[in-house]
């Protein structure tokens, strides 16, 4: 029996003549397997023919000794014939974050396990036997390897049970079930439900630098939720500390500060408004700021600082 048409043979011959690599090992087939169907490219065989050829190859695989060249050839051909089964199973997980190539690779490992365990005498089609094994291998990969934060196996399985139970109860209740309702349905405690829900947060980790399209500032949506130090707090603290010190200054000193830092006048403009020289304004500002700075750096009450209000001309008050 051969599922290869004349055009398939011509295509394989053209591939060898052009130096292309033929996916199957048809040219390297052991001479002892010359009675088997010729399969130049097992991956391109239609599904119906692949099932028929798989049955023939499984019959021969059963009588071959493991570890021989013939056994390896037949098993490798079975793997290539049924890769479409792996791709079909992997397509169910295409919405996952993992690359499809990795999922197909893991599914292929499940296919090899199914080939090694398959028994033709049981009368079960290989597709029916292999599909649960392939899907189970892919699910095991997601369960063990795709968590952003490693959690115990118990919590990984509990997360799956909670997700299934939550979907079922939501259909019945018409709302999101509570932790008590989930606990009663699964026969566990509310604390275990809460632990499983917290563990589910470790399945996927989001980057703090992920961008949001609607954000004009370019900050990530996660970054926007994070707290940051507000510089205004330090300003408020300084103002509150300065309030009693400013209250003890003479009226003209407060006026000079207001003109300099409130109205942002120059020293010359302040001197012209108060009728004093620019140099005198400079000396007064230096003294006032030094007094305030000293008051901020000391822990003593204002009355005990020993630096009460000075005279407006810069001289120390009489004792």
């Amino acid at each position: 029996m051969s599922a290869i048409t004349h055009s398939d043979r011509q295509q394989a011959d053209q591939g060898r003549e052009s130096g292309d690599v033929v996916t199957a090992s048809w040219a390297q087939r052991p001479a002892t397997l010359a009675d088997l169907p010729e399969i130049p490219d097992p991956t391109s065989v239609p599904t119906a023919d692949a099932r028929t050829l798989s049955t023939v190859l499984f019959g021969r695989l059963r009588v071959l000794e493991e570890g021989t060249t013939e056994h390896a050839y037949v098993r490798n051909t079975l793997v290539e014939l049924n890769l479409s089964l792996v791709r079909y199973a992997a397509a169910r997980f295409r919405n996952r974050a993992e690359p499809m190539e990795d999922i197909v690779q893991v599914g292929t490992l499940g296919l090899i396990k199914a080939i090694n365990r398959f028994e033709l005498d049981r009368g079960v089609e290989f597709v029916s036997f292999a599909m649960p094994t392939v899907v189970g291998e892919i699910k095991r990969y997601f369960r063990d390897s795709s968590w952003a934060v490693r959690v115990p196996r118990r919590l990984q399985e509990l997360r799956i049970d909670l997700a299934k139970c939550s979907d079922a109860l939501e259909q019945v209740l018409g709302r999101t079930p509570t932790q008590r309702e989930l606990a009663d349905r699964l026969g566990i405690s509310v604390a275990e439900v809460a632990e499983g829900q917290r563990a589910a947060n470790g399945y996927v980790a989001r980057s703090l630098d992920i961008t949001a399209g609607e954000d004009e500032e370019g900050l990530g949506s996660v970054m926007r939720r994070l707290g940051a130090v507000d510089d205004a707090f330090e300003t408020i603290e300084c103002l509150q500390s300065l309030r009693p010190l400013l209250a003890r200054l003479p009226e003209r000193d407060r006026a000079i500060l207001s003109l300099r830092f409130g109205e942002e006048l120059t020293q010359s403009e302040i001197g012209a408004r108060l009728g004093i020289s620019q140099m005198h304004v400079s000396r007064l500002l230096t003294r006032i700021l030094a007094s305030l700075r000293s008051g901020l750096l000391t822990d003593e009450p204002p009355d005990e600082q020993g630096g009460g209000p000075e005279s407006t001309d810069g001289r120390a008050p009489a004792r």
Side-chain angles (χ1 to χ4, degrees):
M1 178 188 66
S2 176
I4 308 302
T5 63
H6 180 66
S7 60
D8 294 328
R9 293 178 184 274
Q10 290 180 342
Q11 183 178 2
D13 293 337
Q14 292 173 358
R16 286 193 298 272
E17 292 174 359
S18 62
D20 295 337
V21 178
V22 181
T23 56
S25 54
W26 176 32
Q28 301 176 356
R29 181 176 52 170
T32 54
L33 301 178
D35 57 326
L36 289 179
E38 299 173 351
I39 314 174
D41 187 5
T43 59
S44 64
V45 176
T47 303
D49 292 341
R51 292 184 179 182
T52 304
L53 290 171
S54 295
T55 302
V56 175
L57 293 175
F58 272 118
R60 180 58 61 89
L61 187 66
R62 182 178 55 181
V63 299
L64 294 175
E65 182 180 354
E66 187 175 357
T68 61
T69 303
E70 291 81 2
H71 185 278
Y73 171 83
V74 173
R75 190 180 67 169
N76 292 343
T77 305
L78 281 169
V79 172
E80 294 186 30
L81 276 174
N82 294 278
L83 280 179
S84 59
L85 174 66
V86 176
R87 287 191 290 269
Y88 175 79
R92 298 171 53 182
F93 304 91
R94 59 181 175 271
N95 294 328
R96 299 294 184 96
E98 299 296 323
M100 181 57 64
E101 293 79 4
D102 293 350
I103 301 176
V104 171
Q105 185 177 11
V106 173
T108 303
L109 295 177
L111 175 63
I112 295 174
K113 292 180 180 180
I115 292 175
N116 294 336
R117 296 199 299 259
F118 181 68
E119 296 181 6
L120 189 62
D121 297 338
R122 293 194 174 185
V124 180
E125 287 192 5
F126 176 69
V127 175
S128 302
F129 175 82
M131 181 61 75
T133 304
V134 173
V135 174
E137 192 71 22
I138 295 175
K139 289 183 176 180
R140 189 177 300 109
Y141 166 73
F142 283 120
R143 184 186 63 189
D144 297 341
S145 305
S146 61
W147 282 70
V149 179
R150 176 64 62 181
V151 299
R153 176 70 58 83
R154 173 182 61 86
L155 295 179
Q156 295 179 11
E157 296 175 350
L158 179 58
R159 167 188 168 272
I160 298 175
D161 294 338
L162 286 173
K164 293 179 179 179
C165 181
S166 179
D167 292 341
L169 287 177
E170 189 172 354
Q171 294 295 327
V172 176
L173 302 175
R175 56 174 174 81
T176 302
T178 62
Q179 291 184 346
R180 169 58 63 185
E181 292 168 341
L182 290 171
D184 295 341
R185 182 69 174 266
L186 294 176
I188 58 178
S189 65
V190 176
E192 290 176 313
V193 172
E195 185 181 17
Q197 291 176 340
R198 288 195 301 269
N201 296 330
Y203 186 74
V204 177
R206 298 185 64 190
S207 173
L208 295 179
D209 297 326
I210 186 172
T211 57
E214 72 279 0
D215 192 351
E216 297 179 356
E217 298 180 357
L219 296 177
S221 59
V222 178
M223 184 66 74
R224 292 201 307 270
R225 301 193 188 102
L226 297 179
V229 178
D230 193 343
D231 297 335
F233 288 151
E234 184 176 356
T235 302
I236 294 175
E237 182 179 358
C238 292
L239 291 176
Q240 291 297 324
S241 301
L242 282 172
R243 186 184 299 275
L245 299 176
L246 292 173
R248 293 178 56 84
L249 291 176
E251 183 178 355
R252 192 171 73 164
D253 288 358
R254 291 199 302 269
I256 292 175
L257 291 177
S258 176
L259 293 174
R260 181 67 183 93
F261 300 102
E263 301 183 22
E264 297 183 353
L265 300 182
T266 64
Q267 293 181 1
S268 299
E269 294 172 338
I270 296 175
R273 182 171 298 188
L274 297 180
I276 58 178
S277 66
Q278 180 269 334
M279 185 176 296
H280 194 183
V281 173
S282 176
R283 288 199 299 267
L284 290 175
L285 277 174
T286 301
R287 176 185 57 78
I288 295 170
L289 295 178
S291 174
L292 294 176
R293 187 179 299 109
S294 176
L296 288 175
L297 296 178
T298 183
D299 294 333
E300 297 179 359
D303 292 340
E304 300 177 3
Q305 292 178 6
E310 300 179 352
S311 62
T312 57
D313 58 358
R315 294 176 299 176
R319 295 183 180 275

